[in-house]
Amino acid sequence: MKKQRRYTGSVHHDKTGSDLFESLHDDIVISVLCKLSSTASSPSDLISVLLTCKRLNKLGVHPLVLSKSCSKTVAIRAKTWCHEAHRFLKLCVNAGNSEAYYTLGMIRFYCLQNRASGASLLAKAAIRSHAPALYSLALIQFNGSGGMKNDKDLRAGVALCVRAASLGHIDALRELGHCFQDGYGVRKNIHEGRRLLVQANARELASVLRDNPLLSPSLATQIGNNDHQRPVLANSASDFDFGLFSDYGFSLTGGEMHPVNKFMVEWFGFGSREDGTPGLGLRMCSYNECGRPETRKNEFRRCSGCGKVNYCSRGCQAHDWRAHHKMECAPMEEWMGHAINDVEEEGNMNGEDVVMEDRTMEIEES
């Protein structure tokens, strides 16, 4: 009898497939990995590919691949911070990746408290026209972060804001508008300041609508009919009805937190690490999506209305006001309390004019 031969087609197919991959030139594989690293939604998208085989593991850390990595590819989580994560960021920095310069610079400056190294990395990112790095350096100059109060350089902060705003950074544009309005680091020009604030509000609105097209049909209703959707500066003399002319802009959400801010919020916010504290007597920025801590006591400016919250920048103040502080600020609570008392006491008073006069005097005296 003739012996039956085993069917070896599957083995032949695997060998052929392996040969096809090995026959690809390195440049082609690197090109594919560059595309992946520049569009990944998380570091795991790239890491899972690197673990596939030795060749991908080797080519995946090629300088060209690492230089193309986007912010989400280098988005390290605070709870997974370790020597390997630090080493990965340093590899990206050595490859000339601007996002890695910014990410590692912020982590070293604020979290690891290595001010000189962090500021140097932020400066390298800023030289490469990285808008968030330029804005972060501007805040460091405005606040004198990492130094004493006398180390503030307002003119340098304004110059950095101008550069960041020219690259489309909305918070930098808003900060610049307030600088002109208040004469902070630049000659006071209220008209120019208002123009920049309106421009910042318009750009922010356009950005939100671009990222969330479904908001467009209901936008007019939200802005025109709902008072809770229209933030107005408590001390502003503006009578405009639209958020476009407000110092704080529209009450629309949709902007995504930068991975660096997520890292710092986790690092300082949850106390999961022994070294994850800003320091004795130091405060965090009250905007819960910022994550910046003070580097010395009383570095951040307090809310002029209630004095209970503090912010590292005007941008964070605007975001937090729209998020919830407009409903928590003490003066607003005070006025609401007076309004309720007026209604309760209306039946016991001789006239409404007397009540309003007495109440006004009481507020002025306090």
Side-chain angles (χ1 to χ4, degrees):
M1 294 179 65
K2 293 183 178 180
K3 294 182 178 181
Q4 294 182 351
R5 296 181 178 178
R6 288 185 178 180
Y7 177 69
T8 59
S10 60
V11 177
H12 179 71
H13 175 74
D14 290 342
K15 185 177 179 181
T16 303
S18 178
D19 290 342
L20 285 175
F21 175 71
E22 294 297 335
S23 65
L24 290 175
H25 197 278
D26 284 353
D27 291 345
I28 298 177
V29 180
I30 290 174
S31 177
V32 174
L33 291 174
C34 286
K35 181 66 175 179
L36 173 63
S37 64
S38 63
T39 58
S41 59
S42 66
S44 60
D45 290 349
L46 179 62
I47 294 174
S48 60
V49 174
L50 302 186
L51 297 176
T52 304
C53 64
K54 291 182 178 180
R55 188 185 183 201
L56 289 175
N57 186 277
K58 179 181 178 181
L59 296 179
V61 293
H62 190 278
L64 186 59
V65 176
L66 297 179
S67 67
K68 300 294 183 180
S69 298
C70 63
S71 60
K72 293 182 179 180
T73 304
V74 297
I76 306 298
R77 299 291 298 273
K79 61 183 180 181
T80 59
W81 178 255
C82 57
H83 174 73
E84 288 73 17
H86 199 174
R87 178 176 175 272
F88 173 71
L89 285 178
K90 287 192 290 186
L91 288 174
C92 294
V93 164
N94 293 334
N97 187 292
S98 297
E99 281 293 341
Y101 276 122
Y102 175 62
T103 300
L104 189 56
M106 292 289 284
I107 292 174
R108 286 185 176 177
F109 189 88
Y110 288 107
C111 301
L112 304 182
Q113 298 183 15
N114 189 343
R115 314 295 187 195
S117 177
S120 175
L121 290 172
L122 289 173
K124 291 179 180 179
I127 292 173
R128 289 167 170 77
S129 298
H130 191 274
L134 286 161
Y135 180 61
S136 294
L137 285 174
L139 298 187
I140 290 175
Q141 297 294 335
F142 282 138
N143 297 324
S145 302
M148 305 301 293
K149 184 177 181 180
N150 294 333
D151 293 329
K152 293 181 179 181
D153 192 339
L154 304 185
R155 290 186 178 181
V158 170
L160 289 165
C161 269
V162 170
R163 179 58 178 156
S166 68
L167 295 172
H169 199 283
I170 297 172
D171 285 342
L173 186 61
R174 189 182 306 280
E175 197 81 24
L176 191 61
H178 283 289
C179 287
F180 272 101
Q181 276 200 145
D182 304 334
Y184 193 70
V186 68
R187 180 176 295 179
K188 189 172 183 178
N189 188 332
I190 297 178
H191 177 73
E192 179 67 12
R194 295 302 305 167
R195 186 187 70 80
L196 292 174
L197 288 175
V198 171
Q199 188 176 354
N201 294 338
R203 287 190 181 184
E204 186 174 40
L205 178 61
S207 176
V208 172
L209 295 182
R210 182 175 61 251
D211 297 336
N212 302 273
L214 296 178
L215 290 176
S216 301
S218 60
L219 179 62
T221 304
Q222 289 183 358
I223 298 176
N225 300 329
N226 192 342
D227 290 338
H228 294 291
Q229 295 292 334
R230 189 177 65 240
V232 180
L233 183 61
N235 298 322
S236 173
S238 174
D239 294 325
F240 293 105
D241 291 330
F242 294 97
L244 180 65
F245 300 100
S246 166
D247 281 7
Y248 293 160
F250 297 97
S251 284
L252 294 173
T253 59
E256 186 178 0
M257 284 178 67
H258 194 281
V260 172
N261 297 105
K262 290 183 180 179
F263 182 96
M264 294 195 298
V265 167
E266 289 182 1
W267 184 277
F268 295 109
F270 300 109
S272 58
R273 303 179 60 91
E274 294 182 359
D275 53 352
T277 56
L280 183 63
L282 300 181
R283 305 166 299 179
M284 298 293 298
C285 178
S286 295
Y287 179 47
N288 57 12
E289 295 187 5
C290 173
R292 285 183 177 87
E294 288 183 324
T295 60
R296 69 172 188 281
K297 291 184 178 180
N298 301 320
E299 177 182 335
F300 294 160
R301 289 167 287 182
R302 290 183 179 273
C303 173
S304 59
C306 64
K308 296 179 180 179
V309 294
N310 43 268
Y311 302 104
C312 66
S313 64
R314 290 281 195 165
C316 284
Q317 183 184 16
H319 290 305
D320 193 54
W321 176 266
R322 292 176 300 185
H324 52 75
H325 187 58
K326 64 181 177 180
M327 303 302 296
E328 301 173 356
C329 197
M332 181 172 291
E333 294 176 358
E334 192 174 309
W335 279 101
M336 291 295 291
H338 291 323
I340 293 173
N341 292 336
D342 289 345
V343 174
E344 292 177 348
E345 297 173 4
E346 188 175 35
N348 300 326
M349 303 298 293
N350 295 329
E352 183 178 357
D353 294 336
V354 177
V355 174
M356 295 303 294
E357 183 179 356
D358 291 343
R359 194 61 71 182
T360 302
M361 292 176 63
E362 184 177 357
I363 294 173
E364 290 177 350
E365 290 176 359
S366 61

Short mmCIF file of all heavy atoms in Angstrom, two decimals, residues 153-204:
data_model
loop_
_atom_site.label_atom_id
_atom_site.label_comp_id
_atom_site.label_asym_id
_atom_site.label_seq_id
_atom_site.Cartn_x
_atom_site.Cartn_y
_atom_site.Cartn_z
N ASP A 153 9.20 88.09 35.09
CA ASP A 153 9.59 88.87 33.92
C ASP A 153 8.36 89.06 33.06
O ASP A 153 8.05 88.22 32.19
CB ASP A 153 10.71 88.17 33.15
CG ASP A 153 11.36 89.07 32.10
OD1 ASP A 153 10.70 90.05 31.70
OD2 ASP A 153 12.49 88.78 31.69
N LEU A 154 7.62 90.13 33.31
CA LEU A 154 6.34 90.34 32.64
C LEU A 154 6.51 90.56 31.14
O LEU A 154 5.71 90.07 30.34
CB LEU A 154 5.61 91.52 33.27
CG LEU A 154 5.38 91.45 34.79
CD1 LEU A 154 4.54 92.62 35.25
CD2 LEU A 154 4.72 90.13 35.17
N ARG A 155 7.54 91.29 30.76
CA ARG A 155 7.75 91.54 29.32
C ARG A 155 8.06 90.25 28.58
O ARG A 155 7.58 90.04 27.46
CB ARG A 155 8.88 92.55 29.14
CG ARG A 155 8.53 93.97 29.59
CD ARG A 155 9.63 94.95 29.25
NE ARG A 155 9.28 96.31 29.63
CZ ARG A 155 10.06 97.37 29.42
NH1 ARG A 155 11.25 97.21 28.84
NH2 ARG A 155 9.66 98.57 29.79
N ALA A 156 8.87 89.39 29.18
CA ALA A 156 9.16 88.11 28.55
C ALA A 156 7.89 87.27 28.44
O ALA A 156 7.67 86.59 27.44
CB ALA A 156 10.23 87.36 29.35
N GLY A 157 7.04 87.32 29.48
CA GLY A 157 5.78 86.59 29.43
C GLY A 157 4.88 87.06 28.30
O GLY A 157 4.26 86.26 27.60
N VAL A 158 4.81 88.39 28.13
CA VAL A 158 3.99 88.95 27.04
C VAL A 158 4.54 88.52 25.68
O VAL A 158 3.79 88.13 24.78
CB VAL A 158 3.94 90.49 27.15
CG1 VAL A 158 3.31 91.09 25.89
CG2 VAL A 158 3.16 90.90 28.38
N ALA A 159 5.86 88.58 25.53
CA ALA A 159 6.47 88.19 24.25
C ALA A 159 6.19 86.72 23.92
O ALA A 159 5.90 86.37 22.77
CB ALA A 159 7.98 88.44 24.30
N LEU A 160 6.26 85.86 24.92
CA LEU A 160 5.97 84.44 24.70
C LEU A 160 4.50 84.23 24.38
O LEU A 160 4.15 83.39 23.54
CB LEU A 160 6.36 83.64 25.95
CG LEU A 160 7.87 83.50 26.20
CD1 LEU A 160 8.14 83.02 27.62
CD2 LEU A 160 8.50 82.55 25.18
N CYS A 161 3.62 85.00 25.02
CA CYS A 161 2.19 84.92 24.72
C CYS A 161 1.89 85.35 23.29
O CYS A 161 1.05 84.77 22.62
CB CYS A 161 1.39 85.77 25.71
SG CYS A 161 0.85 84.89 27.18
N VAL A 162 2.58 86.39 22.85
CA VAL A 162 2.39 86.86 21.47
C VAL A 162 2.75 85.76 20.48
O VAL A 162 2.02 85.51 19.51
CB VAL A 162 3.24 88.12 21.21
CG1 VAL A 162 3.25 88.47 19.72
CG2 VAL A 162 2.71 89.29 22.02
N ARG A 163 3.86 85.10 20.72
CA ARG A 163 4.29 84.02 19.83
C ARG A 163 3.33 82.85 19.87
O ARG A 163 2.96 82.30 18.82
CB ARG A 163 5.70 83.56 20.23
CG ARG A 163 6.25 82.41 19.40
CD ARG A 163 6.30 82.74 17.94
NE ARG A 163 6.87 81.65 17.17
CZ ARG A 163 6.64 81.45 15.88
NH1 ARG A 163 5.85 82.29 15.21
NH2 ARG A 163 7.20 80.44 15.25
N ALA A 164 2.88 82.46 21.07
CA ALA A 164 1.94 81.34 21.19
C ALA A 164 0.60 81.68 20.55
O ALA A 164 -0.02 80.84 19.88
CB ALA A 164 1.75 80.96 22.66
N ALA A 165 0.14 82.93 20.74
CA ALA A 165 -1.13 83.35 20.15
C ALA A 165 -1.06 83.35 18.63
O ALA A 165 -2.03 83.01 17.95
CB ALA A 165 -1.52 84.73 20.66
N SER A 166 0.10 83.74 18.09
CA SER A 166 0.25 83.74 16.63
C SER A 166 0.20 82.33 16.05
O SER A 166 -0.10 82.15 14.86
CB SER A 166 1.57 84.41 16.25
OG SER A 166 2.68 83.61 16.66
N LEU A 167 0.46 81.32 16.90
CA LEU A 167 0.38 79.93 16.48
C LEU A 167 -1.00 79.32 16.74
O LEU A 167 -1.20 78.13 16.53
CB LEU A 167 1.45 79.10 17.19
CG LEU A 167 2.90 79.46 16.86
CD1 LEU A 167 3.86 78.71 17.76
CD2 LEU A 167 3.21 79.15 15.40
N GLY A 168 -1.94 80.15 17.22
CA GLY A 168 -3.31 79.69 17.40
C GLY A 168 -3.66 79.23 18.80
O GLY A 168 -4.72 78.62 18.98
N HIS A 169 -2.83 79.51 19.79
CA HIS A 169 -3.13 79.08 21.15
C HIS A 169 -4.14 80.05 21.76
O HIS A 169 -3.86 81.22 21.98
CB HIS A 169 -1.85 79.04 22.00
CG HIS A 169 -1.97 78.22 23.24
ND1 HIS A 169 -2.62 78.68 24.36
CD2 HIS A 169 -1.55 76.96 23.53
CE1 HIS A 169 -2.57 77.75 25.30
NE2 HIS A 169 -1.92 76.70 24.82
N ILE A 170 -5.34 79.55 22.07
CA ILE A 170 -6.45 80.41 22.49
C ILE A 170 -6.22 81.00 23.87
O ILE A 170 -6.46 82.19 24.10
CB ILE A 170 -7.77 79.61 22.45
CG1 ILE A 170 -8.07 79.17 21.01
CG2 ILE A 170 -8.93 80.45 22.99
CD1 ILE A 170 -9.24 78.23 20.88
N ASP A 171 -5.75 80.20 24.82
CA ASP A 171 -5.52 80.72 26.16
C ASP A 171 -4.43 81.78 26.17
O ASP A 171 -4.48 82.73 26.96
CB ASP A 171 -5.14 79.58 27.12
CG ASP A 171 -6.34 78.74 27.50
OD1 ASP A 171 -7.47 79.22 27.32
OD2 ASP A 171 -6.15 77.59 27.96
N ALA A 172 -3.43 81.63 25.30
CA ALA A 172 -2.39 82.65 25.19
C ALA A 172 -2.97 83.96 24.66
O ALA A 172 -2.61 85.05 25.11
CB ALA A 172 -1.26 82.17 24.29
N LEU A 173 -3.89 83.84 23.70
CA LEU A 173 -4.55 85.02 23.16
C LEU A 173 -5.40 85.71 24.23
O LEU A 173 -5.42 86.94 24.34
CB LEU A 173 -5.41 84.62 21.97
CG LEU A 173 -6.07 85.74 21.15
CD1 LEU A 173 -5.01 86.64 20.54
CD2 LEU A 173 -6.96 85.14 20.06
N ARG A 174 -6.08 84.92 25.04
CA ARG A 174 -6.89 85.49 26.13
C ARG A 174 -6.00 86.17 27.16
O ARG A 174 -6.31 87.26 27.66
CB ARG A 174 -7.72 84.38 26.78
CG ARG A 174 -8.76 84.89 27.78
CD ARG A 174 -9.51 83.74 28.41
NE ARG A 174 -10.10 82.86 27.43
CZ ARG A 174 -11.23 83.09 26.79
NH1 ARG A 174 -11.89 84.21 27.05
NH2 ARG A 174 -11.71 82.24 25.91
N GLU A 175 -4.89 85.51 27.51
CA GLU A 175 -3.96 86.09 28.48
C GLU A 175 -3.41 87.41 27.97
O GLU A 175 -3.27 88.39 28.71
CB GLU A 175 -2.81 85.11 28.72
CG GLU A 175 -2.00 85.37 29.96
CD GLU A 175 -2.64 84.84 31.22
OE1 GLU A 175 -3.45 83.89 31.12
OE2 GLU A 175 -2.35 85.38 32.30
N LEU A 176 -3.12 87.44 26.68
CA LEU A 176 -2.58 88.65 26.07
C LEU A 176 -3.60 89.78 26.10
O LEU A 176 -3.25 90.95 26.34
CB LEU A 176 -2.15 88.35 24.62
CG LEU A 176 -1.34 89.42 23.90
CD1 LEU A 176 -0.03 89.69 24.62
CD2 LEU A 176 -1.07 88.96 22.46
N GLY A 177 -4.87 89.44 25.87
CA GLY A 177 -5.92 90.45 25.93
C GLY A 177 -6.03 91.09 27.31
O GLY A 177 -6.16 92.31 27.44
N HIS A 178 -5.94 90.27 28.35
CA HIS A 178 -6.00 90.80 29.71
C HIS A 178 -4.75 91.63 30.04
O HIS A 178 -4.83 92.59 30.80
CB HIS A 178 -6.15 89.66 30.71
CG HIS A 178 -7.54 89.09 30.78
ND1 HIS A 178 -8.60 89.78 31.34
CD2 HIS A 178 -8.04 87.91 30.33
CE1 HIS A 178 -9.70 89.04 31.25
NE2 HIS A 178 -9.38 87.90 30.65
N CYS A 179 -3.61 91.23 29.48
CA CYS A 179 -2.39 92.02 29.70
C CYS A 179 -2.56 93.43 29.15
O CYS A 179 -2.17 94.42 29.80
CB CYS A 179 -1.19 91.33 29.04
SG CYS A 179 -0.61 89.86 29.90
N PHE A 180 -3.15 93.55 27.96
CA PHE A 180 -3.37 94.87 27.37
C PHE A 180 -4.42 95.64 28.17
O PHE A 180 -4.29 96.86 28.36
CB PHE A 180 -3.82 94.73 25.92
CG PHE A 180 -2.68 94.66 24.94
CD1 PHE A 180 -2.27 93.44 24.41
CD2 PHE A 180 -2.00 95.80 24.56
CE1 PHE A 180 -1.21 93.37 23.52
CE2 PHE A 180 -0.94 95.74 23.66
CZ PHE A 180 -0.55 94.52 23.15
N GLN A 181 -5.46 94.95 28.63
CA GLN A 181 -6.51 95.64 29.39
C GLN A 181 -5.99 96.19 30.71
O GLN A 181 -6.37 97.28 31.14
CB GLN A 181 -7.68 94.68 29.67
CG GLN A 181 -8.66 94.57 28.53
CD GLN A 181 -10.00 94.04 28.99
OE1 GLN A 181 -11.04 94.43 28.48
NE2 GLN A 181 -10.00 93.12 29.93
N ASP A 182 -5.12 95.41 31.37
CA ASP A 182 -4.65 95.78 32.70
C ASP A 182 -3.31 96.50 32.69
O ASP A 182 -2.84 96.95 33.74
CB ASP A 182 -4.53 94.54 33.58
CG ASP A 182 -5.83 93.76 33.68
OD1 ASP A 182 -6.90 94.39 33.50
OD2 ASP A 182 -5.80 92.54 33.92
N GLY A 183 -2.67 96.60 31.51
CA GLY A 183 -1.33 97.18 31.46
C GLY A 183 -0.32 96.31 32.18
O GLY A 183 0.59 96.80 32.85
N TYR A 184 -0.46 95.00 32.04
CA TYR A 184 0.38 94.03 32.75
C TYR A 184 1.50 93.57 31.84
O TYR A 184 1.32 92.72 30.97
CB TYR A 184 -0.49 92.84 33.18
CG TYR A 184 0.15 91.91 34.19
CD1 TYR A 184 0.35 92.31 35.50
CD2 TYR A 184 0.54 90.63 33.83
CE1 TYR A 184 0.91 91.46 36.44
CE2 TYR A 184 1.10 89.77 34.76
CZ TYR A 184 1.28 90.18 36.06
OH TYR A 184 1.83 89.34 36.99
N GLY A 185 2.68 94.15 32.00
CA GLY A 185 3.82 93.79 31.17
C GLY A 185 3.85 94.46 29.82
O GLY A 185 4.75 94.22 29.02
N VAL A 186 2.86 95.30 29.56
CA VAL A 186 2.77 96.00 28.28
C VAL A 186 2.00 97.29 28.51
O VAL A 186 1.27 97.42 29.51
CB VAL A 186 2.06 95.11 27.22
CG1 VAL A 186 0.59 94.92 27.57
CG2 VAL A 186 2.22 95.67 25.82
N ARG A 187 2.18 98.27 27.62
CA ARG A 187 1.47 99.55 27.78
C ARG A 187 -0.04 99.31 27.69
O ARG A 187 -0.53 98.60 26.82
CB ARG A 187 1.90 100.53 26.70
CG ARG A 187 1.21 101.89 26.79
CD ARG A 187 1.73 102.86 25.76
NE ARG A 187 3.15 103.16 26.00
CZ ARG A 187 3.87 103.97 25.23
NH1 ARG A 187 3.32 104.54 24.17
NH2 ARG A 187 5.13 104.20 25.52
N LYS A 188 -0.78 99.88 28.61
CA LYS A 188 -2.22 99.65 28.70
C LYS A 188 -2.93 100.15 27.46
O LYS A 188 -2.74 101.27 27.01
CB LYS A 188 -2.78 100.36 29.94
CG LYS A 188 -4.23 100.02 30.25
CD LYS A 188 -4.64 100.61 31.60
CE LYS A 188 -6.05 100.21 31.97
NZ LYS A 188 -6.44 100.74 33.29
N ASN A 189 -3.77 99.26 26.90
CA ASN A 189 -4.55 99.60 25.72
C ASN A 189 -5.85 98.80 25.81
O ASN A 189 -5.93 97.65 25.38
CB ASN A 189 -3.78 99.25 24.44
CG ASN A 189 -4.48 99.75 23.18
OD1 ASN A 189 -5.70 99.89 23.13
ND2 ASN A 189 -3.69 100.02 22.14
N ILE A 190 -6.87 99.41 26.41
CA ILE A 190 -8.12 98.70 26.68
C ILE A 190 -8.79 98.26 25.38
O ILE A 190 -9.32 97.13 25.29
CB ILE A 190 -9.07 99.59 27.50
CG1 ILE A 190 -8.44 99.90 28.86
CG2 ILE A 190 -10.43 98.93 27.67
CD1 ILE A 190 -9.28 100.82 29.73
N HIS A 191 -8.77 99.10 24.36
CA HIS A 191 -9.41 98.76 23.09
C HIS A 191 -8.76 97.53 22.46
O HIS A 191 -9.45 96.60 22.01
CB HIS A 191 -9.33 99.95 22.13
CG HIS A 191 -9.90 99.67 20.77
ND1 HIS A 191 -11.25 99.57 20.53
CD2 HIS A 191 -9.28 99.43 19.57
CE1 HIS A 191 -11.46 99.29 19.25
NE2 HIS A 191 -10.29 99.20 18.65
N GLU A 192 -7.44 97.49 22.46
CA GLU A 192 -6.74 96.34 21.89
C GLU A 192 -6.98 95.09 22.74
O GLU A 192 -7.13 93.99 22.21
CB GLU A 192 -5.23 96.64 21.82
CG GLU A 192 -4.38 95.50 21.26
CD GLU A 192 -4.64 95.22 19.80
OE1 GLU A 192 -5.32 96.03 19.15
OE2 GLU A 192 -4.16 94.18 19.32
N GLY A 193 -7.04 95.28 24.05
CA GLY A 193 -7.32 94.14 24.92
C GLY A 193 -8.68 93.54 24.66
O GLY A 193 -8.83 92.31 24.59
N ARG A 194 -9.70 94.39 24.51
CA ARG A 194 -11.04 93.89 24.21
C ARG A 194 -11.07 93.18 22.87
O ARG A 194 -11.73 92.15 22.71
CB ARG A 194 -12.04 95.05 24.20
CG ARG A 194 -12.25 95.75 25.52
CD ARG A 194 -12.72 94.79 26.59
NE ARG A 194 -13.93 94.06 26.20
CZ ARG A 194 -14.40 93.00 26.84
NH1 ARG A 194 -13.75 92.53 27.89
NH2 ARG A 194 -15.50 92.41 26.44
N ARG A 195 -10.36 93.73 21.90
CA ARG A 195 -10.33 93.09 20.56
C ARG A 195 -9.73 91.69 20.64
O ARG A 195 -10.25 90.75 20.03
CB ARG A 195 -9.52 93.96 19.60
CG ARG A 195 -9.56 93.45 18.15
CD ARG A 195 -8.60 94.25 17.29
NE ARG A 195 -7.21 93.96 17.61
CZ ARG A 195 -6.55 92.88 17.15
NH1 ARG A 195 -7.17 92.00 16.36
NH2 ARG A 195 -5.30 92.69 17.47
N LEU A 196 -8.66 91.54 21.42
CA LEU A 196 -8.02 90.24 21.54
C LEU A 196 -8.91 89.25 22.29
O LEU A 196 -8.95 88.05 21.95
CB LEU A 196 -6.68 90.39 22.26
CG LEU A 196 -5.59 91.14 21.48
CD1 LEU A 196 -4.36 91.35 22.36
CD2 LEU A 196 -5.21 90.38 20.22
N LEU A 197 -9.65 89.72 23.29
CA LEU A 197 -10.55 88.84 24.03
C LEU A 197 -11.70 88.36 23.15
O LEU A 197 -12.09 87.19 23.21
CB LEU A 197 -11.10 89.56 25.26
CG LEU A 197 -10.10 89.79 26.40
CD1 LEU A 197 -10.73 90.63 27.51
CD2 LEU A 197 -9.61 88.47 26.95
N VAL A 198 -12.25 89.26 22.34
CA VAL A 198 -13.31 88.86 21.41
C VAL A 198 -12.77 87.86 20.40
O VAL A 198 -13.43 86.87 20.06
CB VAL A 198 -13.89 90.10 20.69
CG1 VAL A 198 -14.83 89.68 19.56
CG2 VAL A 198 -14.63 90.99 21.68
N GLN A 199 -11.56 88.09 19.93
CA GLN A 199 -10.94 87.16 18.99
C GLN A 199 -10.72 85.79 19.64
O GLN A 199 -10.94 84.75 19.02
CB GLN A 199 -9.61 87.73 18.51
CG GLN A 199 -8.97 86.92 17.38
CD GLN A 199 -7.69 87.57 16.87
OE1 GLN A 199 -7.34 88.65 17.28
NE2 GLN A 199 -7.00 86.89 15.98
N ALA A 200 -10.31 85.78 20.91
CA ALA A 200 -10.13 84.51 21.62
C ALA A 200 -11.45 83.78 21.77
O ALA A 200 -11.52 82.55 21.58
CB ALA A 200 -9.50 84.77 22.99
N ASN A 201 -12.51 84.50 22.11
CA ASN A 201 -13.83 83.88 22.25
C ASN A 201 -14.31 83.29 20.93
O ASN A 201 -14.88 82.20 20.88
CB ASN A 201 -14.84 84.90 22.77
CG ASN A 201 -14.54 85.35 24.19
OD1 ASN A 201 -13.86 84.65 24.93
ND2 ASN A 201 -15.04 86.52 24.55
N ALA A 202 -14.09 84.04 19.84
CA ALA A 202 -14.52 83.56 18.53
C ALA A 202 -13.75 82.31 18.10
O ALA A 202 -14.32 81.36 17.58
CB ALA A 202 -14.35 84.67 17.49
N ARG A 203 -12.43 82.32 18.35
CA ARG A 203 -11.62 81.15 17.99
C ARG A 203 -12.01 79.93 18.82
O ARG A 203 -12.06 78.81 18.32
CB ARG A 203 -10.14 81.46 18.18
CG ARG A 203 -9.56 82.40 17.15
CD ARG A 203 -8.04 82.46 17.28
NE ARG A 203 -7.44 83.36 16.32
CZ ARG A 203 -6.13 83.54 16.19
NH1 ARG A 203 -5.30 82.86 16.96
NH2 ARG A 203 -5.65 84.38 15.30
N GLU A 204 -12.29 80.18 20.09
CA GLU A 204 -12.67 79.06 20.96
C GLU A 204 -14.00 78.47 20.52
O GLU A 204 -14.17 77.25 20.50
CB GLU A 204 -12.75 79.54 22.41
CG GLU A 204 -12.98 78.42 23.40
CD GLU A 204 -12.91 78.92 24.82
OE1 GLU A 204 -13.41 80.03 25.10
OE2 GLU A 204 -12.35 78.19 25.67
#
